[in-house]
C-alpha cells in the first residue's frame, strides 16, 4: 500500500532532501511551495492541505529563519513559526493524521555545560527562538500523534548555509574569522530528512507516540572548529583553503543573541525510533564533494 506524505516547502534544504529520499523509503511525496500558499497566511496553508485528501502524514519543512531580522521585525517569524504551525496542527488533528514539525536548538539559552535534553527548560534569547518555541506548543497541544523535532545548524552542499558560506571564501580570502564560543550540533539535511522519514514510519505504524524529540548529528563542535574541518576536507579538492581565525562572539556583533552552547542530546530519538544518527563529519565530506562538483559543473561561472 502506497503511503502519501505531504511536505510543506519544496526548494529549501530539508524539503529537497525529503523529496530525494522519500521514494527510497517507501513514500509517495507531494509538496506545497510559496507559489501555492503564502506561509505567513495560515488559511492558505490549510487550504492547500485540504486540497489533498489522500495523505497519511505531513512534514512541515518551512520556517522563517532570519534570526537577526526577527529582532527588528518579528511579524513574519510569528506568522510562519508560530501561527501557521498551530493551525496546521489542528487541521491535521481533524484529519486524524500525524504532523511532524521541525524546530530549533535556539529555544535554549545556551548556559548549561552539557547537552540539552527534551526535559530541560527552554528559555530563548531571541525573537526567532521565541517564535519557534510557541510554534512547538501549538503543534503538540493539537494532538498526541503530532511530533516536534528540534534540530541544529542544518547544512548541505547546494543551498545557502554556514558550510557553503565558508566554501565560498576559497580563493577569495586567506583568512576567515569565525566565532569559537558558540557550540552546536551540525546536521546534514539528509540526516534530518532520513530521521523524519523513519519517525513518520513509526508514528503511522503505531510503534511510537508523538511528542518532543531532538534530532541532529552527535558530537557538538564550535563554529570555528566546524569551519576548520570544512576547510581541511575541502583542501583535498582545492589547496587554496583559508586559515580559520577563532574569535569571540563579542568580536562579531549581531542584532540577535545566540546561545553559547545549544548542543542537543538525541538519545530519546535514537531509542524511540531505533535509529543511529550519523556523525556530522560524514555529512561534511558529502556536502563538500557536492559543492565542489557543482562549482566545476557546466552551470558554474568562470
Amino acid at each position: 500500500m502506497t503511503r502519501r506524505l505531504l511536505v510543506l516547502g519544496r526548494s529549501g534544504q530539508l524539503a529537497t532532501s525529503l523529496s530525494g529520499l522519500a521514494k527510497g523509503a517507501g513514500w509517495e511525496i507531494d509538496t506545497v511551495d510559496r507559489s501555492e500558499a503564502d506561509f505567513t497566511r495560515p488559511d492558505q496553508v490549510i487550504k492547500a492541505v485540504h486540497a489533498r485528501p489522500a495523505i497519511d502524514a505531513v512534514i512541515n519543512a518551512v520556517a522563517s529563519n532570519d534570526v537577526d531580522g526577527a529582532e527588528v521585525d518579528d511579524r513574519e517569524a510569528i506568522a510562519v513559526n508560530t501561527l501557521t504551525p498551530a493551525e496546521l496542527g489542528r487541521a491535521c488533528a481533524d484529519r486524524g493524521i500525524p504532523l511532524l514539525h521541525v524546530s530549533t536548538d535556539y529555544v535554549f539559552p545556551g548556559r548549561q555545560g552539557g547537552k540539552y535534553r527534551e526535559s530541560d527548560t527552554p528559555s530563548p534569547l531571541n525573537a526567532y527562538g521565541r517564535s519557534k518555541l510557541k510554534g512547538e506548543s501549538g503543534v503538540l497541544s493539537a494532538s498526541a500523534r503530532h511530533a516536534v523535532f528540534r534540530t541544529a545548524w542544518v547544512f548541505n552542499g547546494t543551498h545557502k548555509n554556514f558550510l557553503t558560506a565558508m566554501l565560498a571564501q576559497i580563493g577569495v580570502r586567506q583568512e576567515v574569522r569565525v566565532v569559537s564560543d558558540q557550540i552546536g550540533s551540525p546536521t546534514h539535511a539528509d540526516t534530518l530528512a532520513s530521521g523524519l522519514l523513519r519517525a513518520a514510519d513509526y508514528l503511522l505504524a503505531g510503534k511510537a507516540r508523538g511528542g518532543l524529540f531532538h534530532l541532529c548529528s552527535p558530537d557538538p563542535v564550535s563554529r570555528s572548529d566546524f569551519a576548520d574541518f570544512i576547510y581541511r576536507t575541502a583542501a583535498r579538492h582545492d589547496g587554496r583553503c583559508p586559515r580559520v581565525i577563532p574569535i569571540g562572539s563579542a568580536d562579531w556583533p549581531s542584532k540577535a543573541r545566540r546561545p553559547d552552547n545549544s548542543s542537543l542530546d538525541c538519545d530519546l530519538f535514537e531509542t524511540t525510533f531505533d535509529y543511529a544518527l550519523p556523525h556530522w563529519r560524514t555529512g561534511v565530506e558529502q556536502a563538500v564533494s557536492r559543492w565542489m562538483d557543482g562549482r566545476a559543473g557546466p552551470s558554474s561561472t568562470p
Side-chain angles (χ1 to χ4, degrees), residues 161-179:
N161 55 63
F162 180 83
L163 177 140
T164 55
M166 293 297 100
L167 294 176
Q169 301 307 313
I170 294 176
V172 177
R173 296 184 181 180
Q174 294 183 336
E175 297 179 343
V176 175
R177 289 154 49 90
V178 184
V179 296

Side-chain angles (χ1 to χ4, degrees), residues 7 19-20 48 57 62 100 107 157-158 161 186 193 201 211 233 235 270 274 289 299:
V7 175
S19 294
V62 172
L100 290 77
V107 300
T158 57
N161 55 63
D201 286 338
T233 302
E270 292 188 313
D274 190 22
S289 293
S299 62

Side-chain angles (χ1 to χ4, degrees), residues 91-176:
C92 289
D94 291 343
R95 295 271 297 273
I97 57 177
L99 168 64
L100 290 77
H101 175 69
V102 179
S103 190
T104 176
D105 57 329
Y106 276 23
V107 300
F108 291 114
R111 299 189 184 97
Q112 75 177 31
K115 297 179 182 180
Y116 281 97
R117 295 184 174 89
E118 290 84 353
S119 57
D120 289 323
T121 302
S123 181
L125 297 178
N126 52 55
Y128 164 75
R130 289 190 291 272
S131 71
K132 294 294 288 185
L133 181 61
K134 291 176 182 177
E136 292 181 4
S137 299
V139 169
L140 293 175
S141 64
S143 172
R145 296 192 72 192
H146 295 346
V148 168
F149 301 87
R150 291 174 180 152
T151 194
W153 297 16
V154 180
F155 68 90
N156 65 8
T158 57
H159 289 66
K160 182 180 179 181
N161 55 63
F162 180 83
L163 177 140
T164 55
M166 293 297 100
L167 294 176
Q169 301 307 313
I170 294 176
V172 177
R173 296 184 181 180
Q174 294 183 336
E175 297 179 343
V176 175

Side-chain angles (χ1 to χ4, degrees), residues 1-23:
M1 180 177 178
T2 301
R3 298 172 302 167
R4 295 177 174 85
L5 176 67
L6 178 63
V7 175
L8 298 190
R10 181 174 298 167
S11 59
Q13 294 185 92
L14 175 54
T16 299
S17 286
L18 285 167
S19 294
L21 297 172
K23 185 175 181 180

Side-chain angles (χ1 to χ4, degrees), residues 10-300:
R10 181 174 298 167
S11 59
Q13 294 185 92
L14 175 54
T16 299
S17 286
L18 285 167
S19 294
L21 297 172
K23 185 175 181 180
W27 290 92
E28 179 182 296
I29 194 168
D30 192 4
T31 58
V32 176
D33 69 3
R34 296 181 188 278
S35 67
E36 182 178 357
D38 179 350
F39 294 114
T40 68
R41 294 276 307 275
D43 59 320
Q44 292 189 13
V45 175
I46 302 310
K47 182 179 178 181
V49 172
H50 286 322
R52 295 159 171 85
I55 51 176
D56 299 297
V58 176
I59 295 179
N60 182 19
V62 172
S64 175
N65 55 14
D66 182 356
V67 178
D68 288 327
E71 293 299 300
V72 179
D73 185 346
D74 64 356
R75 286 176 294 181
E76 179 177 311
I78 291 172
V80 177
N81 299 339
T82 302
L83 302 179
T84 292
E87 290 295 327
L88 182 62
R90 287 189 281 270
C92 289
D94 291 343
R95 295 271 297 273
I97 57 177
L99 168 64
L100 290 77
H101 175 69
V102 179
S103 190
T104 176
D105 57 329
Y106 276 23
V107 300
F108 291 114
R111 299 189 184 97
Q112 75 177 31
K115 297 179 182 180
Y116 281 97
R117 295 184 174 89
E118 290 84 353
S119 57
D120 289 323
T121 302
S123 181
L125 297 178
N126 52 55
Y128 164 75
R130 289 190 291 272
S131 71
K132 294 294 288 185
L133 181 61
K134 291 176 182 177
E136 292 181 4
S137 299
V139 169
L140 293 175
S141 64
S143 172
R145 296 192 72 192
H146 295 346
V148 168
F149 301 87
R150 291 174 180 152
T151 194
W153 297 16
V154 180
F155 68 90
N156 65 8
T158 57
H159 289 66
K160 182 180 179 181
N161 55 63
F162 180 83
L163 177 140
T164 55
M166 293 297 100
L167 294 176
Q169 301 307 313
I170 294 176
V172 177
R173 296 184 181 180
Q174 294 183 336
E175 297 179 343
V176 175
R177 289 154 49 90
V178 184
V179 296
S180 61
D181 53 1
Q182 292 179 15
I183 311 296
S185 306
T187 308
H188 194 288
D190 282 358
T191 296
L192 177 56
S194 295
L196 289 171
L197 292 171
R198 178 59 166 252
D201 286 338
Y202 272 53
L203 291 171
L204 276 181
K207 298 167 67 174
R209 291 177 56 84
L212 179 63
F213 303 93
H214 291 169
L215 199 182
C216 59
S217 290
D219 294 327
V221 66
S222 70
R223 286 279 188 189
S224 58
D225 286 345
F226 183 39
D228 184 69
F229 185 83
I230 292 169
Y231 285 136
R232 285 191 283 118
T233 302
R236 298 200 296 264
H237 304 265
D238 190 322
R240 300 174 298 162
C241 293
R243 182 166 64 96
V244 174
I245 307 298
I247 62 172
S249 295
D251 297 319
W252 193 272
S254 59
K255 291 184 175 66
R257 291 178 60 196
R258 268 78 168 172
D260 292 337
N261 173 23
S262 59
S263 55
L264 302 177
D265 186 305
C266 298
D267 286 351
L268 180 61
F269 177 89
E270 292 188 313
T271 300
T272 301
F273 301 106
D274 190 22
Y275 192 86
L277 292 162
H279 198 286
W280 55 264
R281 290 192 185 94
T282 302
V284 168
E285 291 169 355
Q286 176 185 338
V288 168
S289 293
R290 179 67 182 86
W291 189 87
M292 292 291 180
D293 289 344
R295 188 178 63 162
S299 62
S300 298

